[in-house]
Amino acid sequence: MGERSSVAELAAILRAELNRYSVGEKLPSSRALMERHQVSPVTVSRAIAVLAAEGAVVSRPGAGVFRAGPRVASAAAPADLSWQEVALSAEAGQPPARSTDSSGVLSALTVQPPDVIDLNSGYLHPSLQPERALAAALARAGRRPGAWERPPVDGLPELRAWFARDIGGHVSTSDVLVCAGGQSALTTALRSLAATGAPVLVESPTYPGTLAVARAAGLRPVPVPVDADGLRTDLLADAFDATRARVLVCQPLFQNPTGAVLAPERRREVLRIARAAGAFVVEDDFARRLVHADAPPLPAPLAADDPDGVVVHVRSLTKPSSPSLRVGALTARGPALARLRAVQSVDSFFVPRPLQETALELVSSPAWPRHLRTLAEALRERRQTTVAALRRTLPELLPDSSPDRPGLGGYHLWLRLPEGMDEAAVTAAALRAGVAVTAGRPYFAAEPPGSFLRLCYAFAQSPAQLTEGVERLARAIG
């Protein structure tokens, strides 16, 4: 049983037992709860935290946990918030109006009930996260001199140097700005490089978070199609000419959602076309540390082959470690870097120093490369298990080019539904059958060419659960 479900079950048991205690009466000690329910100290503390957040108990350090009194309902009249409808729509007549469609992002962040197999989340299951290494890194970081002092605005020099080495090529420490994860980096990049109302070229399909960031900044996403070899460079120059866009956002490695890797000849073309258009390429290199064990050597990032400052590189530690280690890097040169620094400093001042120190301790330890090797093996096994289950139960959804060929990485499969099948109906039926999958529509900036599903295999508890999840999906499709 996973830690998350154990916490939920213990919290439910304790919640049901609260009526045995009068208000202010002390509950059994943590040790007693551990022995009675055969759970770990972490499970007990997290279950108590759940009840404390609900207001059911009060935790007093050194004294114990006590039943809380009933909450007093507020007698105040409901607030009148209708004025906000006018205030938030005041710029609706100015093309394009800023809008924040968070549906695609929130879908990926939704925590499913324990009885639902999650083939939706893009994060690692806790069993795949380097929890011990993270805990040790956090403890060491807390003992570092000055760990709670204000960090440099650009980030800790040692962490910036590590990111520069990790990216390689022409990138130096002075080109790196530490940021609060990949999503924050994309937000800073688009707000810095494109004026409100401007077009921005995006892959089609693409990560919904990119579309959400662009629209929230008042930008107009313009799609450029992706095929099995990545971004269609034969259409890229036409898109730049037609729109006069000055920014392209792309994921050259293990693209989300298709998993495509940009072909070598197209890598050169992307840089050539962007340079000729006087445009920036925002390279979202989110999946580089999610390579599978059977993959050949990876191509270098576009930023490593770019001496002219065309590429603004985005790199994050979140995906291969933990959703809560929100530390990443933005890499740029010249006035673009100064613009990025200015926008980020206004938005958030800096990334908290304890988090940077923890990230530095993690990537500098021998546990980090060991974790990456273990993760590569686990992701390969999970991909193979998911593809095998699809071949048995839903072979018509697999693309002609096998997604199980060596060289893939990432954590997801992109499946096209048969003509006429409604993806919204399929995802709803799947959820009723006990498996969460992702509909394809949020991945398109314009009308999609068909119906699609994205299946993620990183957050399920085990390979066996992946097989069960695909079988539930097959039953839902009928």
Side-chain angles (χ1 to χ4, degrees), residues 151-156 160 174 176-179 337 341 344 356:
V153 171
D154 287 2
L156 297 179
R160 294 168 63 210
S174 61
V176 177
L177 177 67
V178 176
C179 57
L337 179 61
R341 180 189 296 113
Q344 175 168 286
Q356 294 192 52

Side-chain angles (χ1 to χ4, degrees), residues 138-204:
L138 181 61
R140 292 194 301 271
R143 294 193 296 268
R144 280 178 170 238
W148 288 94
E149 294 179 4
R150 185 179 64 193
V153 171
D154 287 2
L156 297 179
E158 301 91 340
L159 186 57
R160 294 168 63 210
W162 181 86
F163 274 117
R165 293 192 300 272
D166 199 48
I167 297 167
H170 297 276
V171 177
S172 66
T173 301
S174 61
D175 301 328
V176 177
L177 177 67
V178 176
C179 57
Q183 188 70 12
S184 175
L186 286 173
T187 300
T188 298
L190 290 186
R191 289 187 57 228
S192 301
L193 303 176
T196 301
V200 56
L201 303 187
V202 298
E203 295 170 315
S204 183

Side-chain angles (χ1 to χ4, degrees), residues 408-453:
L408 282 186
Y411 51 81
H412 54 272
L413 301 174
W414 184 240
L415 309 176
R416 182 161 186 161
L417 294 173
E419 197 70 30
M421 189 173 288
D422 184 345
E423 65 182 41
V426 169
T427 55
L431 194 58
R432 290 193 297 271
V435 58
V437 297
T438 312
R441 180 65 186 89
Y443 292 80
F444 292 91
E447 294 80 0
S451 295
F452 297 85
L453 295 179

Side-chain angles (χ1 to χ4, degrees), residues 228 258-259 383-384 387-388 391 397-408 413-415:
T258 66
R383 183 196 76 223
Q384 292 174 340
V387 171
R391 284 204 181 105
L397 300 192
L398 289 173
D400 294 334
S401 56
S402 171
D404 197 33
R405 68 183 186 276
L408 282 186
L413 301 174
W414 184 240
L415 309 176

Side-chain angles (χ1 to χ4, degrees), residues 203-457:
E203 295 170 315
S204 183
T206 192
Y207 166 52
T210 298
L211 300 177
V213 165
R215 288 168 178 150
L219 306 178
R220 178 165 54 91
V222 177
V224 181
V226 168
D227 63 17
D229 290 321
L231 187 69
R232 290 273 305 275
T233 49
D234 58 322
L235 301 175
L236 182 60
D238 292 341
F240 273 122
D241 289 341
T243 63
R244 303 299 177 191
R246 290 294 180 263
V247 178
L248 161 69
V249 184
C250 64
Q251 296 177 328
L253 188 66
F254 311 137
Q255 196 258 358
N256 183 10
T258 66
V261 177
L262 190 63
E265 62 276 10
R266 293 190 185 183
R267 290 167 53 85
R268 293 186 290 270
E269 277 294 280
V270 165
L271 293 179
R272 183 190 67 78
I273 293 169
R275 191 178 292 111
F280 291 100
V281 175
V282 178
E283 180 186 21
D284 182 5
D285 200 17
F286 77 104
R288 184 161 294 271
R289 296 304 172 222
L290 299 175
V291 63
H292 298 180
D294 53 0
L298 298 182
L302 296 180
D305 298 326
D306 167 44
D308 302 323
V310 172
V311 178
V312 173
H313 185 84
V314 175
R315 174 74 61 92
S316 175
L317 292 172
T318 302
K319 289 293 187 185
S321 60
S322 164
S324 291
L325 189 67
R326 305 208 62 78
V327 175
L330 267 170
T331 303
R333 286 197 178 89
L337 179 61
R339 182 80 64 86
L340 294 169
R341 180 189 296 113
V343 169
Q344 175 168 286
S345 63
V346 168
D347 283 350
S348 58
F349 289 2
F350 47 77
V351 177
R353 182 163 189 152
L355 204 56
Q356 294 192 52
E357 297 279 11
T358 299
L360 184 59
E361 286 285 354
L362 176 67
V363 299
S364 302
S365 72
W368 180 242
R370 287 200 301 268
H371 163 66
L372 294 179
R373 289 192 296 270
T374 301
L375 179 60
E377 291 285 355
L379 289 175
R380 175 180 62 175
E381 180 186 9
R382 285 165 172 255
R383 183 196 76 223
Q384 292 174 340
T385 298
T386 306
V387 171
L390 286 167
R391 284 204 181 105
R392 288 194 305 272
T393 60
L394 293 167
E396 66 276 14
L397 300 192
L398 289 173
D400 294 334
S401 56
S402 171
D404 197 33
R405 68 183 186 276
L408 282 186
Y411 51 81
H412 54 272
L413 301 174
W414 184 240
L415 309 176
R416 182 161 186 161
L417 294 173
E419 197 70 30
M421 189 173 288
D422 184 345
E423 65 182 41
V426 169
T427 55
L431 194 58
R432 290 193 297 271
V435 58
V437 297
T438 312
R441 180 65 186 89
Y443 292 80
F444 292 91
E447 294 80 0
S451 295
F452 297 85
L453 295 179
R454 191 188 75 156
L455 266 62
C456 294
Y457 44 78

